[in-house]
Amino acid sequence: MRRLIPTGDPARPVEFAQSPQPSPAPDEALVRVAAFSPNRGETFLLERPRPGLLPGKDVAGLVVQAAADGSGPAAGTRVAGHPPMGGWAEYVAVPTHSLAALPGDVTDVQAAALPLAGITALRLLRAAGPLIGRRVLLTGASGGVGHYVTELAAAAGAEVTAVTATAERGARLRELGAAAITHDVAAAPGPYDVVLESTGGPALAAALERLVPGGTLIWFGQASRTPATLSFFDLFAGAENGVIRHFHYAGAPYGADLATLVRLVSAGRLHPETGRVADWSSTAEVLVDLRERRVRGKAVLTVGGPR
């Protein structure tokens, strides 16, 4: 079968190679990949790929071999999956605890855009606690996670202020429920009960200044790739007794959260934002655009044509 492997060249980060078809473990299903979605964090890993790196954590496709232990979906079931690696290929073995069956009204492109970004948004908002009537500041809102967080938080009753680089991207976030858009954290009016911060660098300190006393700032990314510096005394400027929490989405099983996301898409309550859809022959070019933040929301690559 064909798969994409790292090259170590930032200008063309992946290339096709021939590889044996995966041999699933007893609790894994073999999935024929119809579409996959790269994440910006994966583009960073490709800059200096470790030996044996096989990227690909977000896939949609068809189960062609059910798990030997009897768990998970039967052969012939369309699924969304979140394998630990190896999804940029014609076939991938996925633990059954990280699969969710797809109804006919959810496309492979929509499903491939769900796993990492959607699970991150879902778990991030659970970490934030009840949101009805609360003011929420979201940085880095233009990416895949940001679109999901905006729509889910607004639906939960939050008043969301989204920080985004351009007016065009802000318009889409308003459609998804954002109450206000700003292009600079320092310009966000505040104060906010909850700050969801994914940029790092100076944005973290600026966001903290806008937190109410006793509020919560959850730090879930560093898209700027610039370290953040905080002073203990900054907390006395407004966020006194505030909570600063680190968040990372990871931790299997993922199947239940994937099923929730699929159900919301099927019901028309969640709308994956796919800023780029292309054949997987264009993966290298799409990865560069994703790394350089030229893609709004998610990018999806189809294997064997659009589905």
Side-chain angles (χ1 to χ4, degrees):
M1 71 168 192
R2 291 198 303 166
R3 73 160 64 252
L4 290 162
I5 61 170
T7 65
D9 178 3
R12 192 164 185 80
V14 293
E15 65 185 7
F16 282 105
Q18 290 294 324
S19 173
Q21 188 169 293
S23 297
D27 64 345
E28 293 179 331
L30 184 64
V31 175
R32 186 174 70 224
V33 178
F36 62 83
S37 181
N39 296 285
R40 191 160 178 260
E42 290 172 305
T43 71
F44 302 154
L45 295 177
L46 291 169
E47 291 176 358
R48 294 180 180 84
R50 67 178 186 273
L53 174 66
L54 296 176
K57 296 174 69 69
D58 292 4
V59 303
L62 186 74
V63 174
V64 294
Q65 180 181 319
D69 67 359
S71 64
T77 304
R78 293 176 59 246
V79 291
H82 193 46
M85 61 185 298
W88 300 355
E90 291 180 304
Y91 294 88
V92 63
V94 186
T96 55
H97 60 58
S98 297
L99 289 170
L102 297 177
D105 57 0
V106 176
T107 69
D108 292 324
V109 168
Q110 290 174 313
L114 287 175
L116 190 149
I119 294 169
T120 298
L122 204 61
R123 294 182 175 186
L124 178 64
L125 292 175
R126 288 183 188 139
L131 292 176
I132 189 166
R134 304 184 80 187
R135 300 189 73 194
V136 175
L137 177 66
L138 171 66
T139 68
S142 298
V145 175
H147 283 85
Y148 289 131
V149 167
T150 297
E151 188 166 20
L152 290 169
E159 182 182 330
V160 180
T161 296
V163 183
T164 181
T166 67
E168 177 191 2
R169 296 185 177 199
R172 177 56 179 154
L173 291 163
R174 277 196 180 276
E175 292 174 6
L176 294 174
I181 302 295
T182 184
H183 306 308
D184 183 354
V185 177
Y192 299 96
D193 304 292
V194 176
V195 172
L196 306 175
E197 212 293 290
S198 65
T199 305
L204 180 60
L208 184 63
E209 291 177 2
R210 282 146 185 81
L211 191 67
V212 300
T216 299
L217 183 149
I218 303 180
W219 190 11
F220 70 99
Q222 192 163 293
S224 69
R225 309 182 76 181
T226 304
T229 301
L230 295 177
S231 165
F232 170 82
F233 297 101
D234 290 343
L235 295 168
F236 295 108
E240 189 172 9
N241 292 319
V243 174
I244 301 174
R245 175 176 175 179
H246 170 261
F247 171 88
H248 184 220
Y249 88 100
Y254 300 107
D257 285 342
L258 265 178
T260 296
L261 295 165
V262 168
R263 175 176 56 81
L264 291 172
V265 173
S266 179
R269 296 170 59 191
L270 187 66
H271 300 84
E273 184 70 13
T274 49
R276 186 79 56 82
V277 179
D279 183 81
W280 72 324
S281 59
S282 301
T283 301
E285 294 86 351
V286 171
L287 289 171
V288 172
D289 284 345
L290 188 63
R291 184 186 68 216
E292 300 303 321
R293 307 178 84 166
R294 293 194 286 260
V295 178
R296 183 183 71 189
K298 297 289 292 177
V300 176
L301 287 308
T302 58
V303 180
R307 314 233 178 156

